[in-house]
Amino acid sequence: MADKEGLKISKDYGVEIPFQNQGGFYVKGSDNLDWGMKKHLANIFDPKSGNTVMFAFDHGYFMGSTAGLERLDIVIPKLIPQIDVLMGTRGALRSCVPPQCRKGVALRVTSGSSMLNEDLSHEVVAVDMEDAIRLNADCLAIQTFIGADGQLSSLDNLSRAINAGLRYSIPTLGVVAVGKDMERTDRFFKLATRIVAELGAHIIKTYYCDNFEEVVAACPVPIVVAGGKKLPEKEALTLAYRAMQGGARGLDMGRNIFQSEHAVEMAATIRKVVHDGYTDSEAYQYYQDLINS
Ligand code: R5P
């Protein structure tokens, strides 16, 4: 029975103890999935590093034309060589992404709000599973709004996508949204990431926070970290480094790449942090060498 009284404070996350149900497949929490699911996850997470560089350019689904993404047809092809997974809408993919690019696809399948709305938490699943299959999507990206007005409908969207994806072995990426009134604390992210994972999402996208390693330890599937608003490159690389050090299995940055004056070089540098273990200072030096060469 649901009971909010007398809840104990969670504290023993065993952050030093590796995930205990790994089996033979390298993606966290996925060893018991079938071959088709594992194949899609292997299109997302590099088998050598176990990590992924996702590139989020789905902003247009509620923001329309976004600074840095005015011309998807020009911006996206230049960045593709540095990216493992393209996170976009079906409209952007079909119109502006060369199908021969051989990259993973995280397909944004929710919609329904826009920047003109005060409350962005009300969405629907707008893409049929059949169309996700036609696009060879490697995962379905669903926005979730824990603690917001649209919590119920967003978890309904998530569950519907997971149920449909399971029928065709397509994983679901649960995106943990934070609104202007929602806290960005480890307490919130432990709650939200765990709810989304226990509902069956195979990958979670969330934000970096204090005690991030505890958020990771308590989440039984891989976490990729969102970039958020544009930061100076040095700060964005420190965020990337800390996230990876804290146990993230990748980054899903958007504005910190496409709004950089040197977007291609920034993406190439993020790749070094994600796949080659560069520290933030090594990465910034690498970035500066690239832009000055
Ligand atoms: C999540 O809310 C959506 O996928 C965004 O469009 C995307 O994650 C934003 O990426 P960033 O915050 O790195 O620009």
Side-chain angles (χ1 to χ4, degrees):
M1 179 178 161
D3 182 0
K4 290 202 261 185
E5 298 300 316
L7 287 180
K8 289 190 175 175
I9 305 286
S10 305
K11 57 182 180 193
D12 189 6
Y13 291 93
V15 294
E16 304 303 328
I17 304 170
F19 184 66
Q20 294 293 291
N21 193 39
Q22 198 55 60
F25 189 62
Y26 65 99
V27 178
K28 186 178 186 183
S30 299
D31 193 50
N32 297 326
L33 301 179
D34 72 6
W35 192 93
M37 280 276 187
K38 286 176 175 163
K39 181 69 173 74
H40 282 301
L41 290 167
N43 288 345
I44 295 170
F45 295 98
D46 184 282
K48 195 164 160 221
S49 67
N51 300 332
T52 188
V53 178
M54 280 192 191
F55 173 56
F57 61 101
D58 58 338
H59 303 59
Y61 97 90
F62 72 106
M63 295 172 76
S65 173
T66 310
L69 286 182
E70 293 87 346
R71 289 289 302 269
L72 292 168
D73 58 314
I74 297 172
V75 173
I76 307 304
K78 283 196 279 198
L79 289 167
I80 282 175
Q82 308 303 333
I83 301 302
D84 297 318
V85 178
L86 296 153
M87 183 190 192
T89 60
R90 62 178 166 183
L93 288 165
R94 279 206 170 94
S95 59
C96 299
V97 176
Q100 65 272 28
C101 73
R102 302 174 64 94
K103 300 294 176 173
V105 168
L107 180 64
R108 157 69 56 191
V109 298
T110 50
S111 77
S113 59
S114 81
M115 291 305 280
L116 300 179
N117 300 127
E118 189 64 28
D119 182 350
L120 299 173
S121 71
H122 297 282
E123 294 190 337
V124 295
V125 176
V127 178
D128 287 344
M129 178 52 64
E130 287 72 16
D131 204 32
I133 294 167
R134 278 192 287 270
L135 284 160
N136 285 321
D138 290 301
C139 65
L140 311 170
I142 302 278
Q143 208 80 0
T144 62
F145 299 91
I146 309 294
D149 204 40
Q151 172 178 300
L152 175 61
S153 59
S154 74
L155 295 184
D156 185 50
N157 294 339
L158 177 74
S159 301
R160 285 171 192 275
I162 292 167
N163 288 331
L166 285 170
R167 285 200 285 279
Y168 301 100
S169 285
I170 299 183
T172 296
L173 166 63
V175 181
V176 172
V178 288
K180 55 179 183 292
D181 299 327
M182 290 146 74
E183 56 183 273
R184 292 177 181 238
T185 61
D186 61 320
R187 192 180 76 140
F188 172 72
F189 292 124
K190 282 170 187 161
L191 174 80
T193 58
R194 185 63 171 263
I195 289 173
V196 172
E198 296 223 17
L199 291 183
H202 305 92
I203 310 166
I204 313 288
K205 172 175 172 173
T206 190
Y207 291 86
Y208 182 75
C209 60
D210 290 343
N211 300 318
F212 181 71
E213 61 283 359
E214 293 184 353
V215 178
V216 169
C219 181
V221 295
I223 287 180
V224 295
V225 165
K229 68 175 186 190
K230 173 76 176 71
L231 300 168
E233 281 74 6
K234 196 168 195 288
E235 288 175 38
L237 292 170
T238 295
L239 167 71
Y241 171 65
R242 288 187 180 155
M244 297 307 294
Q245 285 295 108
R249 298 315 311 214
L251 296 165
D252 187 9
M253 281 186 163
R255 286 164 289 178
N256 277 293
I257 292 178
F258 65 72
Q259 289 182 348
S260 171
E261 201 183 330
H262 305 283
V264 173
E265 291 82 358
M266 188 60 181
T269 308
I270 291 290
R271 195 164 187 82
K272 292 290 180 191
V273 177
V274 169
H275 289 307
D276 296 329
Y278 276 32
T279 64
D280 47 353
S281 49
E282 288 170 337
Y284 190 58
Q285 185 60 54
Y286 180 81
Y287 172 75
Q288 288 195 307
D289 290 346
L290 280 182
I291 65 173
N292 293 321
S293 62

